Amino acid sequence: MKIIPGPASVELAEKIAEELNLSVVKHSYKHFYDNETYLRVDESVKNETILLIQSTHFPQEKHWIELLILCSTLKDLGAAEVISIIPYLSYARADKRKIEGEALSHQILITLLEKSGCDSIITMNVHNPEAFYSSSKSIEKININLFHYIGEELKSKYNNFVVVGPDKGAEEDVKTLAKLLETEYLLFEKERDALTNEVKMQAPDYSFENKNVLLVDDIITSGGTAKLASKLILEQKPRTLQFLCIHALSKDEVYADLKNMGVEKIISTNTIPNKQLEQLDIAPYIAKYIKEKFL
Ligand code: R5P
């Protein structure tokens, strides 16, 4: 087995290679003047099993194209098997038609990966696991819930925190985390307008006064959810409020807004690299999973 990093996940892929003691396939990437990516595999991959690591955060389309081109090229060069590790799988929220005529982009992209020769997809905390698993039958799909792993890591620091999810969809995650941290969890009720994207929220019947609160979500994008939940919690004067998510997709000003509101710390994982945030390294967890399943 060998590893090849996609241009979006070079640092993470190198860490995973180190953890697994696997060699990194020699490769050359560059950007042309018009920003197209040039990709070249510089050693034989014939009959090899290749772990291709590429997250698909902003610019999503560019990262997807790179992933598809790399996967296809590896197969074309004779790789026996390509396992695509996609720490953040973008477009997963476009999994159903809320309005007639909407594109089912999630299914379309999984089908494209399948057509490019990808044998297995491993992703983390995908938006809707059910839609992911039913998106294409002939490709192996694995969704890793990173909360199981990071919960163990956070145990010593967060055992006197109450864990809060911003909506019912977060229940499984906050429950998992609260169990690992040996604490209680609470949920907000959230509604989002499909057309305007406006978020409305109702706080649980609980007093956050003087409590250590860990607000948890799988993903932060516009920050609307985290900001509104934070506002409602901060109004009740908690001792501290921290925010934890797996995929941090927001622009820097969103994190700055949260900090200015009074959120003491923002923690994410490095499924999407971000030097401004405190990031939990997922490389050891991915390596552990690969070791148990494939080696
Ligand atoms: C929603 O179901 C998700 O779990 C997140 O709460 C949501 O996607 C966060 O998005 P935003 O930061 O735009 O509110």
Side-chain angles (χ1 to χ4, degrees), residues 208-211 232-240:
F208 291 106
E209 193 177 342
N210 251 342
K211 295 277 180 7
L232 296 173
I233 295 169
L234 287 163
E235 277 170 5
Q236 293 190 35
K237 308 262 179 284
R239 186 175 301 140
T240 177

Side-chain angles (χ1 to χ4, degrees), residues 46 95 164 209 219 276:
K46 210 167 173 49
D95 61 331
V164 183
E209 193 177 342
I219 189 167
Q276 315 297 321

